[in-house]
Amino acid sequence: MNVIGVVGEFNPFHYGHYEHLLESRRIIDYEAPVVCVMSGDFIQRGGPAAFDKHVRAKAAALCGADLVFELPLPWCGASAERFAMGAVGLLESLGVVTHLSFGSEAGSLAPLTALALAATEPENVERVKETMASGMSYAAAREKVLHETLGEESKLLQTPNNILGVEYLKALFAIGSKMMPVTTRRAATQHDRFSAGKSRSASQLRAMMEAGEDIGPYVPAPARPLAAAETAEGRGPVTMLSLEEALLSRLRMLKQEDFCALPDATEGLGNRLYKAVRSEGSVQGILSAVKTKRYPLSRLRRMVICAALGIRADSIPERPPYARLLASTERGRALLRNMGEKAAVPVITKPAAARELSGPAQEIFELTANARDFYVLGYQAAEERAGGSDWRTSPATL
């Protein structure tokens, strides 16, 4: 049986996501169940998701996904490479996913595969490091090296979906996965640029919500009531600004060594961030004080979030040690019953079962649950900010 794996943030779920699920089934198998791995309450670019993970997972299930699993916190707030390894590794560990489908501006596997293979060549890895030594960012250095190797194909790494697609392919190669990659063409406007018409980008939808505008016309009909209810009840959208006081308070209580232990805190960047935290009065001020051409804002935002939430570089395994279910359909639950003997990690279908985890799995689940307690401090409605909700919220069943 074919089973389609999809990675997403669904922040918020929009027509681009909906069309990707439809197109994946059209290409692979109309009857295939879709299994999604979705970022939790914090996202890969660094910052909180607009709506909480349970709402976004339910929106995905209402619009075509059959099972939605949470990508645990340490991989959500990570570089594209680590994010992809965590998400692909989690799909692989379920033991039932046969295809990995992702959107890309290229719309073709061949050039992305060539880039992924070239990027992992030891000689090119060393050349990237040497190029970065001149002060160039990782992304710019990699594109330069791959341009020398592959020519114009390297320009594909200038768009966000292609970048993630290459990282998904690298992850498949690294773990020796048998999942078959499939890519669908996805316009850049569906990811992080503004556009007109029904298909708006996630960034544009978030900007509209922050301005108090209705995003209903640009969200698939089954998901519209969810977004409207979250906004009406004062539970969203959550932003860096709505969490700013909580972030600053947490950051200022940390020691210098805490910043130096963060993921990506190399070349003295942890020390620079520590000094900025002690002197600046806003998150934007901290980011501006630390930013250089070498360090993109997304990396710095991730470091700020990791610091606030207690994520350390030495506490992240290569792949997630459990799979937590957030939402399911009837077809998904039938597939779930087949996972028992095939899954390589514990599959958590009720939050109480997470208390039976041990070692790194228990530590990471608790870290993720604590992050949710922090996330809800960004709600406008004070009565919605109660702690411990991650231990009480069961998966949405459709």
Side-chain angles (χ1 to χ4, degrees):
M1 179 178 70
N2 291 323
V3 177
I4 303 168
V6 171
V7 180
E9 292 185 321
F10 307 146
N11 184 38
F13 194 94
H14 57 62
Y15 277 108
H17 302 128
Y18 179 67
E19 290 163 3
H20 174 63
L21 298 186
L22 288 177
E23 183 68 3
S24 298
R25 280 200 172 101
R26 187 192 69 78
I27 294 172
I28 298 166
D29 182 347
Y30 278 114
E31 301 302 320
V34 173
V35 178
C36 294
V37 168
M38 187 195 76
S39 295
D41 291 318
F42 292 87
I43 58 173
Q44 193 269 330
R45 295 176 195 83
F51 298 125
D52 84 69
K53 59 192 177 188
H54 301 285
V55 170
R56 287 159 37 238
K58 185 175 181 179
L62 285 167
C63 296
D66 293 298
L67 293 173
V68 183
F69 289 94
E70 177 183 14
L71 182 64
L73 178 69
W75 291 270
C76 296
S79 65
E81 184 175 36
R82 183 170 285 171
F83 171 87
M85 177 60 77
V88 173
L90 184 52
L91 285 170
E92 175 74 13
S93 71
L94 297 175
V96 297
V97 179
T98 59
H99 294 72
L100 173 65
S101 177
F102 58 89
S104 66
E105 291 84 7
S108 172
L109 275 179
L112 299 179
T113 301
L115 286 166
L117 291 172
T120 55
E121 285 289 336
E123 179 183 351
N124 288 336
V125 172
E126 288 304 313
R127 288 168 62 198
V128 170
K129 291 179 181 178
E130 292 169 3
T131 306
M132 289 177 63
S134 66
M136 195 175 288
S137 70
Y138 171 75
R142 183 172 70 165
E143 185 181 342
K144 181 177 185 298
V145 169
L146 294 184
H147 181 77
E148 295 167 358
T149 304
L150 296 174
E152 293 301 303
E153 282 189 355
S154 66
K155 291 184 177 179
L156 292 175
L157 292 174
Q158 295 176 357
T159 50
N161 294 299
N162 284 343
I163 291 171
L164 276 175
V166 167
E167 295 301 338
Y168 295 145
L169 292 170
K170 285 171 56 182
L172 287 174
F173 301 152
I175 65 180
S177 175
K178 293 182 180 179
M179 287 189 291
M180 184 179 298
V182 174
T183 189
T184 65
R185 186 175 298 280
R186 188 173 177 189
T189 52
Q190 291 177 325
H191 190 281
D192 65 352
R193 299 181 186 177
F194 283 13
S195 60
K198 184 174 70 173
S199 293
R200 302 293 178 96
S201 72
S203 292
Q204 191 169 5
L205 293 179
R206 291 194 298 271
M208 290 174 64
M209 287 189 289
E210 290 179 32
E213 298 178 36
D214 178 25
I215 66 168
Y218 312 107
V219 174
R224 287 174 196 165
L226 298 179
E230 291 302 290
T231 302
E233 296 295 328
R235 293 189 296 267
V238 178
T239 66
M240 285 286 270
L241 186 60
S242 67
L243 278 174
E244 184 165 59
E245 289 189 10
L247 277 167
L248 292 175
S249 175
R250 185 76 66 90
L251 293 172
R252 287 186 178 179
M253 290 189 289
L254 298 177
K255 299 178 181 178
Q256 188 168 0
E257 53 263 36
D258 295 321
F259 289 93
C260 294
L262 293 172
D264 295 327
T266 56
E267 303 165 337
L269 190 52
N271 291 327
R272 292 181 53 151
L273 186 57
Y274 170 75
K275 291 178 182 178
V277 164
R278 309 304 295 179
S279 62
E280 298 295 331
S282 67
V283 172
Q284 186 57 49
I286 293 170
L287 297 174
S288 297
V290 181
K291 186 183 182 304
T292 68
K293 286 186 178 180
R294 178 76 174 263
Y295 308 121
L297 276 174
S298 57
R299 177 176 174 176
L300 302 179
R301 285 196 298 264
R302 287 195 296 268
M303 289 183 68
V304 165
I305 292 297
C306 286
L309 300 179
I311 303 171
R312 298 171 56 94
D314 60 6
S315 62
I316 308 176
E318 183 181 57
R319 304 187 222 171
Y322 64 86
R324 188 209 179 152
L325 184 67
L326 295 178
S328 66
T329 65
E330 184 175 353
R331 178 165 53 181
R333 290 188 289 278
L335 178 63
L336 196 64
R337 290 190 285 272
N338 293 331
M339 283 184 194
E341 299 177 357
K342 299 178 180 179
V345 296
V347 177
I348 307 299
T349 58
K350 296 290 182 182
R355 300 191 185 278
E356 300 175 8
L357 297 172
S358 60
Q362 183 182 55
E363 294 171 5
I364 290 171
F365 191 96
E366 290 179 352
L367 187 71
T368 304
N370 290 341
R372 173 149 184 80
D373 285 348
F374 186 85
Y375 174 86
V376 299
L377 297 179
Y379 287 169
Q380 182 178 4
E383 64 272 17
E384 299 290 342
R385 300 175 192 161
S389 62
D390 222 24
W391 297 98
R392 300 189 298 268
T393 308
S394 296
T397 55
L398 280 66

